[in-house]
Amino acid sequence: MCDLMSSLHSNAPAHSLADTKKTIVKAFGGRPFDDIFEEFQEKPLGVGAIAQVYKAKLKPDLAALGDDDIDPDPPNLRKRVRKNVDVLVKSTPQRVPSSFVAIKVLHPKVERIVRRDLRIMAFFAATINAIPTMEWLSLPDEVVQFGEMMRLQLDLRIESANLTMFRKKFKNRTTAWFPYPYTSYTTRQVLVEEFAQGIPLAAFLDDGGGVFDQEIANEGLDAFLRMLLIDNFVHADLHPGNIMVRFYKPEQLSLALGRHKESDSPEDSTDVTEEVLQRLRPHRHHPDGWKEQLASIDREGYRPQLIFIDTGLVTALNKSNRTNFLDLFKAIAEFDGYRAGQLMVERCRQPEAVLDPDVFALKMQHLVLGVKSRTFALGNVKIGDVLNDVLGMVRHHHVRLEGDFVNVVISILLLEGIGRNLDPNLDLFKR
């Protein structure tokens, strides 16, 4: 069943090219299709249940120049000094603008299809909810929440806004990055964003990260924890297909602290990303050659950078849920399992429906003490197994968690799988 359903993620039936062109022309204010692109790959890069994605190259007058969405002001002395400090104390990626874009186009009539499917789900949820002892699951509420999540993905302007928000929050962070969204051309049906030039993280999980295993794992964990604990704005779909890895040469110290004009034009920039990728692609599915080439890239001074894509789903806890989550996180970090169990019971959706709350808290204490003896290094503890045990106890004792909590748990499960593959010694709580 999982294999069958996963095929819908990137191999769903595609809509016609004619429908795509019609939708794109409308998004660009009626400009003829041939006047929008210098190149347009007619075969979609991927086709999902809601939309399909193409790669194209915009005409020069439509291409963006650099990071004007997050740093519109020209560089001044203060910015130049700060930039040089960043170069001295950390590895800073060069931002190389690109006129290549990824274009996501919604399937025609997809909104009507989603509404129909949600009505069917709501009917069966109500039927199951009528069965005695099943009402604690509150399946109708879950369908409503799922429907809201689906509706958010039916307006691509939301994904564009999420990209802008992520870019602003990661503006002064060194490696994780998000593509530039062309908000002027993005509509409800079309999303235009900078093409993420890189290799899917899945390739590194399959063939190995070689000398970059630890670095990629650390950067991924650092980015996730910053989203979760600092920004309260979490990418909620962080599977390996939505994380790209590119390589860059660290920026050089600039002595031009006075007035100085730097060109952001794609024509004046060297795209080192494609150069490195051309060296790696022939070794895909050949782990020995792949790792050897990675070692060579490392010796030449290239560093990895993570690029996150597909930001249609995000989790942002409200004030109450965020307080609850941080309290729970603190209790687990301090290995106070009984308190963690109490918090889960007190702050769940239906505390009065919980069965044997004291027993649930004692089970949490037993689980956490077992983990404490092995630490949270992924080589010693399978976080996925721990969370599965917790979810099993939650079902048995009827502890109904908030949907946002479940989204965070799923994100941690995905992170654990990635981290374990790349660096088994990564310790979640030592960060």
Side-chain angles (χ1 to χ4, degrees):
M1 174 62 74
C2 290
D3 291 339
L4 178 64
M5 296 303 292
S6 66
S7 68
L8 294 176
H9 186 266
S10 57
N11 297 297
H15 64 252
S16 71
L17 181 61
D19 284 330
T20 290
K21 288 185 175 182
K22 180 180 178 181
T23 307
I24 290 175
V25 166
K26 183 178 179 182
F28 280 81
R31 183 166 175 160
F33 188 83
D34 292 338
D35 291 342
I36 300 173
F37 304 105
E38 287 192 348
E39 302 174 23
F40 186 88
Q41 296 183 8
E42 295 186 353
K43 183 179 180 180
L45 296 175
V47 183
I50 290 177
Q52 56 199 52
V53 180
Y54 298 87
K55 181 180 179 181
K57 185 176 183 180
L58 291 174
K59 292 286 187 180
D61 62 310
L62 297 176
L65 300 178
D67 296 330
D68 58 289
D69 61 323
I70 58 173
D71 195 11
D73 299 326
N76 54 31
L77 179 60
R78 180 180 178 183
K79 287 184 179 180
R80 290 185 187 282
V81 171
R82 178 172 180 175
K83 182 177 181 180
N84 282 332
V85 171
D86 286 346
V87 171
L88 290 173
V89 300
K90 58 190 178 184
S91 181
T92 306
Q94 291 180 341
R95 309 295 186 196
V96 180
S98 173
S99 55
F100 281 96
V101 293
I103 302 179
K104 180 182 287 189
V105 183
L106 290 185
H107 296 314
K109 302 177 183 178
V110 68
E111 293 188 53
R112 186 171 66 184
I113 295 171
V114 169
R115 285 197 297 269
R116 179 203 64 191
D117 292 347
L118 290 173
R119 286 197 297 269
I120 294 172
M121 292 175 66
F123 170 78
F124 283 105
T127 302
I128 295 173
N129 198 59
I131 300 174
T133 74
M134 297 297 290
E135 66 276 3
W136 79 272
L137 290 172
S138 192
L139 291 180
D141 290 344
E142 301 303 327
V143 171
V144 169
Q145 186 168 11
F146 177 75
E148 181 60 28
M149 179 188 72
M150 292 298 297
R151 278 187 280 271
L152 290 175
Q153 295 189 80
L154 294 174
D155 187 346
L156 296 180
R157 294 171 298 183
I158 294 175
E159 183 171 344
S160 177
N162 290 343
L163 276 174
T164 298
M165 180 64 73
F166 277 123
R167 284 169 61 82
K168 289 180 178 179
K169 290 182 179 298
F170 278 79
K171 174 183 174 181
N172 295 317
R173 297 171 189 169
T174 56
T175 52
W177 196 242
F178 296 81
Y180 172 89
Y182 288 76
T183 55
S184 299
Y185 313 136
T186 295
T187 66
R188 189 178 181 87
Q189 291 81 26
V190 176
L191 170 65
V192 183
E193 66 180 60
E194 174 188 3
F195 184 76
Q197 189 78 318
I199 295 179
L201 182 62
F204 293 85
L205 300 180
D206 293 339
D207 296 330
V211 294
F212 296 110
D213 267 341
Q214 188 175 30
E215 191 170 351
I216 292 174
N218 282 334
E219 294 300 344
L221 179 59
D222 180 74
F224 176 78
L225 291 179
R226 285 177 182 272
M227 293 182 207
L228 179 64
L229 301 178
I230 298 175
D231 299 336
N232 187 28
F233 197 74
V234 183
H235 191 311
D237 195 15
L238 278 179
H239 61 78
N242 282 343
I243 305 175
M244 311 293 289
V245 180
R246 60 160 284 208
F247 290 87
Y248 66 92
K249 274 287 184 70
E251 286 188 332
Q252 301 299 313
L253 183 68
S254 173
L255 300 178
L257 296 180
R259 293 189 177 181
H260 174 67
K261 179 173 176 57
E262 296 177 349
S263 173
D264 286 323
S265 172
E267 289 77 11
D268 297 332
S269 304
T270 302
D271 191 349
V272 295
T273 303
E274 182 57 32
E275 173 190 326
V276 174
L277 296 183
Q278 285 179 359
R279 294 168 56 180
L280 285 172
R281 287 192 185 105
H283 302 285
R284 187 76 173 90
H285 305 301
H286 299 90
D288 291 340
W290 174 270
K291 292 177 182 177
E292 183 179 336
Q293 193 61 234
L294 288 176
S296 176
I297 291 170
D298 178 48
R299 288 192 297 269
E300 294 171 26
Y302 291 96
R303 307 315 318 153
Q305 177 190 33
L306 300 182
I307 304 176
F308 297 96
I309 61 174
D310 201 0
T311 60
L313 292 178
V314 300
T315 297
L317 302 177
N318 61 35
K319 184 176 180 180
S320 173
N321 286 344
R322 181 166 171 77
T323 299
N324 293 343
F325 174 79
L326 292 176
D327 288 346
L328 179 60
F329 192 91
K330 180 174 182 288
I332 294 175
E334 294 174 350
F335 299 105
D336 189 349
Y338 191 83
R339 179 57 181 156
Q342 286 182 320
L343 287 170
M344 292 176 70
V345 171
E346 292 170 3
R347 302 178 185 183
C348 71
R349 288 189 185 182
Q350 294 176 305
E352 69 282 357
V354 176
L355 304 178
D356 300 319
D358 289 335
V359 174
F360 175 79
L362 287 171
K363 287 182 178 179
M364 281 293 297
Q365 177 72 353
H366 177 74
L367 180 67
V368 169
L369 288 177
V371 169
K372 182 180 180 180
S373 64
R374 293 172 287 170
T375 81
F376 273 87
L378 298 185
N380 300 327
V381 176
K382 289 186 177 181
I383 304 301
D385 290 348
V386 173
L387 292 176
N388 281 332
D389 289 343
V390 171
L391 293 177
M393 292 188 292
V394 161
R395 288 192 298 271
H396 181 75
H397 290 271
H398 293 189
V399 181
R400 287 194 60 216
L401 300 177
E402 292 287 348
D404 289 340
F405 274 71
V406 176
N407 286 338
V408 170
V409 168
I410 292 173
S411 295
I412 294 174
L413 284 169
L414 291 170
L415 176 72
E416 186 254 358
I418 294 170
R420 178 179 298 280
N421 195 303
L422 292 171
D423 181 13
N425 294 318
L426 200 65
D427 193 321
L428 293 178
F429 281 91
K430 282 185 179 179
R431 302 298 290 184

